[in-house]
Amino acid sequence: MKLYLDPGHGGSDPGAQGNGMDEKTVNLDIARRIRNILNQDYKNVHVRMSRTYDRTKSLSARTTEANNWGADYYLSIHCNSFNGSARGYEDFIHSSLSDSSTTAAYQDTIHPEIIKVNQLQNRGQKKANFHVLRETTMSALLTENGFIDNAQDAALIKDASWRQTVAQGHVNGLAQAFNLKKQEDPKQLYVIIAGSFQSKKNSKDRVNYLQSKGIEAFADAVTISGEQWYRVQAGAFSKKENAEAQLKRVRDAGINDAYIIHG
């Protein structure tokens, strides 16, 4: 199964904003978590992401890439906003599709799996004429994971463990919709850690530095001994030799204290 995973917005387009957050950052974090779960736990799943870091990419570039790759499914991750009072989760397929279509059947399967775990009000399964739903040649779904400008939804969205749970809900739905098979022995991942900081700004500076060197990286909030830290990850690999090669790249870029953990 070939999944094209699209974290909405990015780069010069922050998406919705509220409660100190940009939608583009939340979308990317949830999408990465979806990719990581699929890669670690499931067999015969190939994931391509429209972006793996904060960069600008047009809607047409995303759908063209998915179409040319021959994806089996297009999943676009978003958060919502309105006027601070709206709350909840909803997802969309294209407005031209019937309720008996294959795409609608996928939505029927995925939607309840996400609702089971996300602690958000259920705003329902909907249809819209969004570009990524209209211009894709494969079935496509766009999920709106809470309202970033609503204080109650935002309190959940800010929580890394909630984003992990939401990612797992998406994966549970995909696994049912596409009859995905779990690894008999889930892959052991080797994760490159390129710094841990108590300052969020310092972690962002490290991420930006690595990306300027062509190394994909992101900061993940973790709790250690009751304190919040921001840990910079610069790759995760199922093969130790690939992780060691990436570790050398990171160290060659000047991050001498980088190391590998088993995750």
Side-chain angles (χ1 to χ4, degrees), residues 124-143:
Q125 300 172 217
K126 300 184 178 182
K127 299 178 183 181
N129 188 30
F130 298 143
H131 175 97
V132 298
L133 304 178
R134 183 183 66 248
E135 300 300 327
T136 41
T137 57
M138 70 295 302
S139 291
L141 181 72
L142 185 146
T143 67

Side-chain angles (χ1 to χ4, degrees), residues 175-210:
Q176 285 199 30
F178 291 92
N179 195 29
L180 302 181
K181 303 300 183 185
K182 280 205 165 186
Q183 300 276 1
E184 284 117 17
D185 181 16
K187 293 177 184 176
Q188 172 67 63
L189 288 182
Y190 298 90
V191 181
I192 291 82
I193 302 300
S196 295
F197 305 88
Q198 287 191 288
S199 164
K200 189 174 184 179
K201 179 183 181 303
N202 290 346
S203 70
K204 284 186 174 180
D205 289 344
R206 176 62 56 87
V207 168
N208 290 338
Y209 173 77
L210 288 166

Side-chain angles (χ1 to χ4, degrees), residues 38-56:
L38 287 169
N39 284 342
Q40 181 172 348
D41 292 350
Y42 289 88
K43 295 190 288 188
N44 302 318
V45 182
H46 306 281
V47 181
R48 178 172 291 187
M49 293 179 63
S50 62
R51 61 186 183 95
T52 56
Y53 61 95
D54 184 21
R55 70 184 185 102
T56 304

Side-chain angles (χ1 to χ4, degrees), residues 240-251:
K240 188 175 181 180
E241 56 267 33
N242 292 343
E244 289 173 341
Q246 178 75 341
L247 178 63
K248 183 177 185 302
R249 286 187 67 207
V250 172
R251 288 178 172 170

Side-chain angles (χ1 to χ4, degrees), residues 230-242:
Y230 297 94
R231 192 165 63 182
V232 176
Q233 293 189 28
F237 302 87
S238 58
K239 293 184 178 179
K240 188 175 181 180
E241 56 267 33
N242 292 343

